[in-house]
Amino acid sequence: ISPLMESYVRRFRGSRECLSLLAEIHFNAGRFDEAVEVADRAIALGKPHLGVLLTKANSSFSLRRLEDAAAAYSSALAIAPENLDSMMNLASIAEIRGDEALARFWYLRILEKYPGQALALKRLAAAQTRNGFDSEVADVLDRACAADTVDPQSLVLVGSLFEKAGRIERGSEL
């Protein structure tokens, strides 16, 4: 931390805004344990804002403290119900835990709010193909390609999923 920031922190150490900023600085520097500690102090002062909750959630996620991360993302959604990052990360946490039903719930909720969200479409399609390939998966894959036609990762993923499903002719059209 720069000397200027240190003096600011000493002067306003009880300030929620100062602690939130300090937590973000720790996060950006890769000091996730410190970011969580400082974010918790800011949150304890009451009325946490979205930024400090996301800093705590992202730091906890980086430390693989999935319970803490999920709780912080959920708190962020209580403040900002359409926060895309929180919903995407809750879906990722569900996938890490092997809870495909919960991951699917989050991807579908994202797509209600953001119908063209290419990453959510890709992840939903990938999750659905683990249970087989059907017309619903094909529809999701088509929507993913339409949402982001220049994303090579999407095209490779979609093509490989069609190929695995025995629908090579459709995959080659991409």
Side-chain angles (χ1 to χ4, degrees):
I1 300 173
S2 72
L4 179 63
M5 187 62 198
E6 281 185 39
S7 69
Y8 181 73
V9 169
R10 276 195 302 276
R11 183 172 175 206
F12 299 103
R13 77 177 55 126
S15 161
R16 181 175 54 241
E17 292 75 19
C18 177
L19 291 170
S20 298
L21 178 62
L22 183 58
E24 187 175 337
I25 289 169
H26 282 305
F27 174 79
N28 290 334
R31 296 185 301 266
F32 305 123
D33 283 315
E34 293 89 343
V36 169
E37 179 186 329
V38 174
D40 281 340
R41 288 176 32 213
I43 292 167
L45 294 174
K47 288 188 160 185
H49 60 78
L50 182 62
V52 75
L53 290 169
L54 290 176
T55 298
K56 177 181 178 170
N58 292 334
S59 297
S60 296
F61 189 86
S62 296
L63 293 166
R64 298 308 235 194
R65 296 178 189 160
L66 300 181
E67 291 296 324
D68 293 342
Y73 287 127
S74 295
S75 294
L77 285 175
I79 293 171
E82 296 184 12
N83 184 268
L84 178 60
D85 290 335
S86 294
M87 290 187 282
M88 286 295 289
N89 287 321
L90 284 166
S92 293
I93 290 168
E95 283 188 357
I96 291 167
R97 292 177 174 161
D99 190 341
E100 289 188 25
L102 185 57
R104 180 180 160 86
F105 164 82
W106 283 113
Y107 291 132
L108 291 172
R109 182 166 168 196
I110 291 164
L111 294 171
E112 286 174 14
K113 306 282 184 189
Y114 306 96
Q117 217 293 328
L119 183 58
L121 286 163
K122 287 189 297 186
R123 287 184 177 178
L124 177 61
Q128 287 180 312
T129 56
R130 287 191 282 273
N131 297 322
F133 191 90
D134 59 23
S135 61
E136 183 181 351
V137 174
D139 176 57
V140 173
L141 292 172
D142 284 338
R143 288 172 53 205
C145 283
D148 192 353
T149 57
V150 297
D151 176 18
Q153 182 185 6
S154 288
L155 296 176
V156 169
L157 172 67
V158 170
S160 69
L161 292 174
F162 274 112
E163 185 178 4
K164 285 178 190 173
R167 295 183 54 173
I168 295 174
E169 74 287 346
R170 178 65 182 113
S172 65
E173 293 172 22
L174 303 172

